[in-house]
Amino acid sequence: MAAERGELEERIIAKEQHTKEIDLVNRDPRCINEDVVKVDFEDVIAEPVGTYSFDGVWQTSYTTFTVSKYWCYRLLSAVLGVPLAVLWGVLFALISFCHIWAVVPCIKSYLIEIQCVGRIYSLCIHTFCDPLFEALARVCGSVKVSLRKET
């Protein structure tokens, strides 16, 4: 009963992932491009004190930079956005496929095999090294060191 409920919940969650509404206002809810893409006019072009252009040139440059950046991004995303989304979708599907069907089974297989090797290694260490170190501990355990200050 609990397994059926869990399976039903997984199906509902999977269906919601493909049919959920997207937020058209906040398009970066996890802030993954917070530091990378925020490039304003002041981040690229700046005039130091004493080297100013005409105010009209500065204002026109600001407007030109901002508008051209905005429209170039919109045109590039309109032309290349969907094909790149398909490319990235296929790439991440391949990565997911390889991870699910190759990487995880290999890791699980390795862990199972290494557990057997680990037990044999542990047995050898306990058989051969433990008596040696216990004997050395008894020999060195009777050594006493004392410090004295000579004047």
Side-chain angles (χ1 to χ4, degrees):
M1 178 81 172
E4 291 175 4
R5 176 183 276 173
E7 188 177 314
L8 180 63
E9 289 176 0
E10 286 179 13
R11 286 184 192 169
I12 291 171
I13 291 170
K15 186 176 182 182
E16 287 177 357
Q17 283 181 334
H18 300 298
T19 60
K20 71 177 182 179
E21 299 254 345
I22 60 170
D23 187 1
L24 294 175
V25 176
N26 183 11
R27 296 187 185 191
D28 190 9
R30 295 190 180 116
C31 300
I32 60 172
N33 291 315
E34 191 67 28
D35 297 330
V36 179
V37 186
K38 276 189 169 180
V39 178
D40 291 325
F41 181 76
E42 297 85 10
D43 297 327
V44 178
I45 300 171
E47 292 180 333
V49 176
T51 315
Y52 289 158
S53 61
F54 295 112
D55 291 344
V57 171
W58 188 251
Q59 289 172 341
T60 305
S61 299
Y62 174 81
T63 305
T64 304
F65 177 89
T66 306
V67 170
S68 63
K69 182 182 85 159
Y70 176 77
W71 281 105
C72 284
Y73 176 78
R74 292 194 101 183
L75 288 171
L76 285 169
S77 63
V79 172
L80 300 174
V82 173
L84 285 173
V86 170
L87 175 74
W88 288 116
V90 169
L91 178 67
F92 282 107
L94 288 170
I95 291 170
S96 298
F97 178 82
C98 289
H99 185 76
I100 292 167
W101 292 99
V103 174
V104 172
C106 284
I107 290 172
K108 291 292 183 182
S109 172
Y110 173 76
L111 290 174
I112 291 169
E113 293 164 4
I114 201 69
Q115 186 178 17
C116 178
V117 172
R119 285 185 179 173
I120 293 170
Y121 177 76
S122 176
L123 183 64
C124 290
I125 292 295
H126 289 302
T127 302
F128 299 112
C129 294
D130 283 357
L132 173 67
F133 290 129
E134 285 177 15
L136 285 172
R138 289 185 182 188
V139 168
C140 295
S142 62
V143 173
K144 294 183 182 180
V145 177
S146 62
L147 294 174
R148 46 184 188 155
K149 189 175 181 181
E150 293 184 20
T151 56

